[in-house]
Amino acid sequence: MSAKRIFLLDASSYVFRAYHAINYLTNSKGFPTNAIFGFINMTKKLIEEFNPEYFVAVFDPGGPSFRNDIYELYKANRGEAPEDISLQFPKIIEYLEARGVRVISMDNYEADDVIGSLAKQFGTKHEITILSGDKDFTQLIDKNINMMDTMRDRTVSSKEVVKKYGLNPNQMIDFFSLVGDSIDNIPGIKGIGPKTAQDLLVKYKTLNGIYKNLNKIEKPRIRDLLLDFREEAQLSKELVTIKTDLKIPLKLEDFRIGDPNLIELNLLFSELEFDSFLEEDREPAPKKSSNYRSIITKKEFKELLINLKKTTFLSLDLETTSPNPVEAEIVGISFCYDAGSAFYIPVKHEEETKQLSLDYVLDSLKPILQDQKIKKIGQNIKYEVIVLSKYDIELSGIFFDTMIAAHLLDSSLQSYSLDNLSRRFLDYKMITYKEVTTIDKETIPFAGVRIDKATEYSCEDADITFKLFELFRKKLEEADLLTTYQKHEVPFVLVLAGMEKTGVNINTKKLKALSKEFEKFIKDTENKIYQLIGEEFNINSPQQLREILFAKLKLKPFKKTRKGKFSTDSESIQNIMDQHDVLKEILSFRFYSKLKSTYLDAIPELINSRTGRIHTSYNQVGTATGRLSSSNPNLQNIPIRTLEGKRIRESFISGNKDSIILSADYSQIELRLLAHFSQDSAMVNSFNLNEDIHTNTASEIFNVKKETVDENQRRIAKTINFGILYGIGAKRLSLQINQDSKTSKLFIEKYFDRYKGVQKFFEEIINLTRQRGYAETILKRRRYIPSINDRNFASRASGERVAINTPIQGSASDVIKLAMISINSDESLKKECKMIMQVHDELVFEVKKEKIQYTSKRIMEHMENCIQLKVPLKVEIGSGATWADSH
């Protein structure tokens, strides 16, 4: 038999690596899936790249091994695996078996021992590749056995072991016996590090050789350590030695990968909601059994109109030509007023079936759509509001948005799409947009979809929205949130729709001129980088940049990526800036390149041809904290305090010569909310007396009088004040204020000594969140934080930081939401100004010049009085010809 290549996967370690590589991920029912998703991606890539014929996945059996009998404290400091990863192991094994991969584990033995025994058993006749990043496997390597770490794209042979450790693979057991392993709690010889261990083994070959030649060791300290810890060294050798003599009754053919079981794989992928993994040739889903009807004739339409006029609750869904509501044209409309039944009115489909005209349908529906008494329901109903407004229909009676209701109930969900909500709360998988708009792998517009398919798809949307409305309404009532929802969340839909419809006027000449200027600066910076390096390379390539910085220039890296490579992100480069002049230029190159591509070049392309303005899309459920996110363009990321950001803001101008831009910005709203929640007397008094909170904090931590606080001391205090809101630690603070960790820790201690109520509030909110499982904002919007009870320290600490931050940042978004609703409802302002942007804590308006004093006063009153706190809210107002001038 000719030699074959056998792949042995250290599966347990890959699961843990996948778990830590991907942030918290669940399916719609809350089952954790991050480790499964990462593991499947890893193995799929591996199988596609190497196409292995023989492949086996080896797992730890769970529980203690024979090593715990030898040494009770073996791996004692690891603790139990987090519960969410333990739940995922069975699904990973289920995936491997359905994929045709042999899975092995042995009671009382670790995966290392099984892999070691298989490697030795088959390694005499075949080539063995151990798939792992565990250094312990270096002891097994020989001419037929190597190790591959696919996550670091690195293969380890005997040559690489010698290069890295200066030792042969057969010396690695003794090396590990000397240095020990803190992760596995293997004692080794305390005081002997890798360099000393290497020197000893180069000279005396083995551990036994070292002890036979103790009298020849010149350094008394090393000789004494070896004598004092001889038992520990021998114990460590037993613990680190991988078993290679286990009897595993398997033949080579037992490792051959079998054919995938597509039915089982698709069932698993559907359960986990990994839709991208579903196989193309899976069985078609059975047709949905619902009462969905197309409305084609006038007779059918008139019958529908009679029923629509009599209904109390009406779910509606528009099918259009674009996801951008300002540009979208209506293709069809669906309605549902009774769960399980829905109606679709096609008006612009390309098929020859005669359809009712759009004008006739909208004229007939307008009284119903504008009737306040008929309560309208939708999923992201803001979209329908904007689209219908283009047809001179003011959608009225807006009562419920399922997307926003879900976010109010739990702002921690991964997605608020209708499909995800349906799966999570109704256990129902919907038809996807891709399914109806794909023919022979080609995408068609919705107008090209057959009417019968469009009816099934669109009616399902309206029907599921209605069913979710019935469910979420009960949940809001049970949580005592229905009043809050209807009073604050629903009216906010109309506020955002108004802003999006109005849009923002842009000076494109200004942007284009600035783009050319930035382009020249970027090119000059690029040439400067090449001169400093001495060669040209792709600055945007992390791989090439890594090679230049750490291989060619030999710079000391700040940190590694999750894949174990030296990081070249901006934080890492900022922390090694003093090592080479080129680093400053690289950051400058990145900064200007991003501004140019994201704003200077992109914004002119987003201007609507009909209105001549950009119409940013605001997402009410875009963040877990409740802060608005925006897209096309993302206004939230334009730099605030830099000259370059100011120059971009100069292109945001009023729409006519009779108006100017007004900006109203909350001052220190998050700190004021912290004072309100914590009721800390020092902080409350500071705000009530209109004192500078940063100066007060600086005075305390630097132990100086307020009047002698300098600008640098105030800057550090400001960093601490805001950092505390995000649970900042001494290490992170030290990086931000350029101080050592000890000093930063002292500053934090002084802060909490000054504001004792803040520390008490943090402790109380963490305990309350741990009990309830969620934190909430001032308007009672919930954010579930399962990680706060995690056994894993890092995950638990992260959950605690989120618990602290949610009432603060989330409530800040609540306050500005209340202010926007209040301003929008002020009839005296509607003719004088238009709200055009919301960016963080700032509202931006287009205001008639002659009404600037009146509108400024009214806007300030609304913003400062929209909610009563224990400290006053303060708003800073400015105006000018451009957005930049208003600051």
Side-chain angles (χ1 to χ4, degrees), residues 83-320:
E83 183 180 1
D84 57 337
I85 192 173
S86 301
L87 292 171
Q88 297 180 67
F89 270 95
K91 294 296 179 185
I92 289 169
I93 292 171
E94 187 179 333
Y95 160 73
L96 287 169
E97 291 175 340
R99 183 60 184 79
V101 175
R102 186 63 179 254
V103 175
I104 300 175
S105 67
M106 287 184 69
D107 288 340
N108 207 37
Y109 296 100
E110 296 178 59
D112 295 18
D113 303 309
V114 177
I115 290 172
S117 297
L118 289 173
K120 292 301 180 182
Q121 183 177 334
F122 291 94
T124 55
K125 295 180 181 179
H126 305 287
E127 180 186 350
I128 305 294
T129 296
I130 298 170
L131 298 166
S132 179
D134 189 345
K135 65 183 186 304
D136 291 349
F137 286 118
T138 53
Q139 64 185 273
L140 300 175
I141 292 173
D142 62 24
K143 64 179 182 178
N144 289 337
I145 302 172
N146 64 32
M147 179 171 74
M148 182 188 296
D149 185 350
T150 55
M151 290 186 72
R152 293 186 171 91
D153 194 23
R154 183 176 66 197
T155 300
V156 182
S157 62
S158 296
K159 185 178 178 182
E160 276 71 37
V161 175
V162 173
K163 184 178 178 181
K164 180 171 182 178
Y165 295 98
L167 302 169
N168 292 314
N170 60 12
Q171 293 178 288
M172 293 308 296
I173 292 174
D174 292 339
F175 175 78
F176 297 140
S177 304
L178 289 168
V179 300
D181 187 335
S182 59
I183 294 174
D184 287 344
N185 208 31
I186 294 171
I189 297 180
K190 290 179 172 56
I192 290 185
K195 183 66 174 69
T196 303
Q198 180 197 48
D199 291 343
L200 289 169
L201 289 169
V202 166
K203 193 168 185 178
Y204 302 114
K205 307 305 179 188
T206 66
L207 187 65
N208 285 338
I210 292 170
Y211 277 104
K212 285 179 180 178
N213 292 280
L214 274 178
N215 59 336
K216 295 180 182 178
I217 295 174
E218 295 178 359
K219 293 183 179 179
R221 188 182 75 85
I222 301 301
R223 190 168 59 246
D224 291 344
L225 286 171
L226 287 163
L227 276 169
D228 292 343
F229 293 97
R230 185 167 190 163
E231 287 185 13
E232 284 81 357
Q234 293 298 334
L235 170 64
S236 298
K237 185 166 184 174
E238 278 191 83
L239 296 174
V240 300
T241 300
I242 293 174
K243 287 274 187 184
T244 58
D245 57 355
L246 299 179
K247 302 301 179 186
I248 304 174
L250 294 174
K251 304 184 294 294
L252 177 66
E253 285 305 303
D254 294 325
F255 299 150
R256 187 187 292 274
I257 292 186
D259 294 329
N261 186 325
L262 295 183
I263 294 175
E264 288 188 8
L265 283 173
N266 284 326
L267 284 171
L268 179 65
F269 295 152
S270 295
E271 177 191 349
L272 299 172
E273 297 169 14
F274 294 165
D275 292 349
S276 61
F277 292 151
L278 288 168
E279 299 295 328
E280 291 295 329
D281 55 350
R282 66 189 185 275
E283 291 292 318
K287 186 174 175 63
K288 315 283 184 178
S289 57
S290 297
N291 185 17
Y292 297 162
R293 287 178 51 200
S294 307
I295 302 298
I296 301 295
T297 67
K298 283 190 176 182
K299 181 182 177 183
E300 290 171 330
F301 182 54
K302 286 177 181 177
E303 289 174 357
L304 176 61
L305 288 174
I306 291 170
N307 289 324
L308 293 181
K309 289 174 183 176
K310 293 189 293 187
T311 192
T312 304
F313 299 108
L314 181 63
S315 166
L316 72 153
D317 183 67
L318 297 181
E319 302 305 337
T320 67

Side-chain angles (χ1 to χ4, degrees), residues 462-523:
D463 182 25
I464 292 300
T465 299
F466 195 88
K467 289 174 180 176
L468 286 170
F469 149 66
E470 293 180 319
L471 176 66
F472 288 162
R473 190 183 185 195
K474 289 178 182 176
K475 285 181 175 289
L476 288 169
E477 286 175 342
E478 290 166 1
D480 198 23
L481 288 172
L482 187 58
T483 301
T484 293
Y485 174 73
Q486 292 172 337
K487 186 178 179 182
H488 304 132
E489 299 295 337
V490 175
F492 196 50
V493 172
L494 292 175
V495 179
L496 296 182
M499 279 204 304
E500 290 185 27
K501 283 191 293 181
T502 301
V504 185
N505 201 38
I506 299 293
N507 183 339
T508 54
K509 290 182 180 178
K510 174 78 177 175
L511 280 182
K512 287 176 181 177
L514 196 55
S515 179
K516 287 182 179 178
E517 182 185 327
F518 276 30
E519 186 175 7
K520 182 180 184 305
F521 181 85
I522 291 165
K523 191 64 182 174

